[in-house]
Amino acid sequence: MNKQDIQDLAFNALSQACVHIQDHFGVKTGDTAGLFFSGLEEDAIIEIFTRYIQTEIMVKSYEEEQ
């Protein structure tokens, strides 16, 4: 995976998390999530997901070497 693939995966993870929460509350649009996750909040969550994805890649690579 390249850097853009990882960023895309992280963004999609955030989007899916929002959809999961919105479904729970019966929210029909992503307007509130779009406002909430703009700027610093989005950057922080994307960074966390990015580090998690990189960790999964390292673990998978290590397991494949064994």
Side-chain angles (χ1 to χ4, degrees):
M1 290 189 100
N2 63 36
K3 185 176 181 175
Q4 186 60 52
D5 292 336
I6 293 170
Q7 287 291 107
D8 291 345
L9 187 56
F11 181 79
N12 289 336
L14 173 57
S15 295
Q16 288 300 312
C18 289
V19 168
H20 179 72
I21 292 166
Q22 291 162 352
D23 287 349
H24 176 80
F25 290 107
V27 174
K28 302 292 183 199
T29 70
D31 296 347
T32 301
L35 290 171
F36 185 85
F37 288 108
S38 62
L40 295 177
E41 283 80 8
E42 178 184 24
D43 294 344
I45 297 297
I46 295 298
E47 176 59 29
I48 291 166
F49 277 130
T50 297
R51 289 193 325 257
Y52 169 61
I53 293 163
Q54 291 168 334
T55 299
E56 288 290 1
I57 291 169
M58 287 188 305
V59 168
K60 182 176 181 174
S61 177
Y62 175 78
E63 290 174 347
E64 289 174 352
E65 290 176 6
Q66 299 306 311

